[in-house]
């Protein structure tokens, strides 16, 4: 669950990959080299250009390496990186010792990078369980609780926030839950290139970044083009479950989902649905309710 702005298609997108910091353990020597300065130098212009190119290439390789041994890659899609509007903004906050330990120990077992190079075998990945995709899980508390409450459902949880990835892995391990897999990277690439048709039993998008400024509304995740990607990978009858405490975004979600021909509202009145018992009331949501925010749930079936 995304409990903070993220944060699952044009040239004005931010250069997400370039915002990644070098992995832990890198030094100033790994940074792009500056051109020689001073009153006199024997270095030619061609040599300066070659030095800069080599330095930037070294920095690029560092960005693509895992931040921790065997852990999630900084730029998993690599050559699949596209100049398009994204609904998320990667953030590089501090990883605690416990989160790093969980990443190093559990990522090889329960983690995967969204590289766009293969189609996932969900039946093998989840030992035959029905699988629900969750896009944006924040620090993972709600995801871990849902996994523990419903061990018969696999949860493929996608986010780009490294501390949250480590935290979710640690929580699932502590609870003894084996039905969570954590995916690192862009959910659009996952939906478009790595999931087989009718392979998912549901989609959950809880509290995505509302991008409140009007000029940023195009970055919101729930758009007609996004639903076009979602519909083919959902089984008939699978539920798309969205939740938000941002009223204008809830209205847009309802409008977009209602207008799409592949989805039907499960609410009899064609509006919002009551919060299902399986969606936990999170600390983040409680804080919003204390401030007077109204949380809206939307449940639409794939037809």
């Amino acid at each position: 669950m995304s409990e903070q702005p993220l944060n699952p298609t044009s040239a004005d997108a931010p250069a997400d990959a370039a915002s990644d910091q070098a992995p832990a353990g890198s030094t100033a020597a790994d940074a792009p080299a500056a051109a020689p300065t001073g009153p006199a130098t024997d270095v030619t212009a061609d040599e300066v250009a070659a030095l800069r190119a080599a330095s930037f290439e070294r920095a690029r390789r560092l960005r693509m390496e895992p931040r921790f041994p065997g852990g999630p890659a900084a730029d998993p899609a690599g050559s699949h990186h596209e100049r398009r509007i994204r609904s998320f903004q990667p953030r590089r906050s501090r990883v605690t010792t416990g989160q790093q330990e969980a990443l190093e120990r559990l990522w090889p077992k329960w983690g995967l990078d969204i590289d766009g190079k293969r189609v996932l075998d969900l039946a093998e990945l989840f030992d035959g369980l029905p699988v629900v995709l969750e896009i944006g899980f924040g620090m993972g508390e709600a995801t871990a609780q849902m996994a523990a409450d419903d061990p018969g459902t696999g949860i493929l949880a996608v986010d780009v926030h490294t501390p949250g990835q480590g935290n979710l892995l640690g929580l699932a391990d502590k609870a003894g839950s084996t039905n969570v897999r954590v995916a690192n990277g862009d959910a659009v690439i996952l939906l478009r290139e790595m999931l087989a048709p009718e392979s998912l039993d549901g989609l959950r998008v809880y509290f995505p970044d509302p991008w409140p400024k009007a000029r940023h509304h195009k970055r919101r995740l729930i758009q007609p083009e996004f639903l076009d990607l979602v519909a083919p990978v959902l089984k008939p009858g699978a539920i798309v479950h969205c939740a938000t405490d941002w009223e204008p975004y809830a209205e847009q979600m309802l409008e977009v989902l209602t207008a799409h021909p592949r989805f039907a509202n499960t609410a009899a009145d064609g509006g919002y649905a009551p919060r299902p018992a399986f969606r936990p009331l999170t600390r983040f949501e409680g804080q919003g309710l204390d401030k007077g925010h109204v949380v809206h749930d939307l449940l639409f079936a794939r037809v």
Side-chain angles (χ1 to χ4, degrees), residues 268-292:
D269 62 358
Y272 303 112
R275 178 176 68 88
F278 66 81
R279 183 175 73 74
L281 182 67
T282 67
R283 174 176 52 84
F284 168 80
E285 184 177 353
Q287 291 172 349
L289 294 172
D290 290 342
K291 296 175 183 177

Side-chain angles (χ1 to χ4, degrees), residues 122-123 126 128-133 152-154 156 195-204 230 233-241 300-302:
L122 296 183
F126 287 91
L129 295 176
V131 179
V132 171
L133 174 65
T153 297
L156 178 58
L195 294 176
E198 298 187 2
S199 59
L200 291 177
D201 291 83
L203 170 67
R204 297 169 181 170
V230 169
V233 299
L234 290 176
K235 296 176 182 177
I239 297 295
V240 173
H241 182 192
F300 278 72
R302 193 274 213 185

Side-chain angles (χ1 to χ4, degrees), residues 10 17 23 34-35 41 51-53 87 145-146 177 189 231 240 245 258 277 281 284 291-292:
S10 82
T41 178
L51 178 64
R52 284 176 169 166
S87 63
Q145 183 175 333
M146 289 187 290
S177 300
I189 293 176
V240 173
D245 64 341
T258 300
L281 182 67
F284 168 80
K291 296 175 183 177

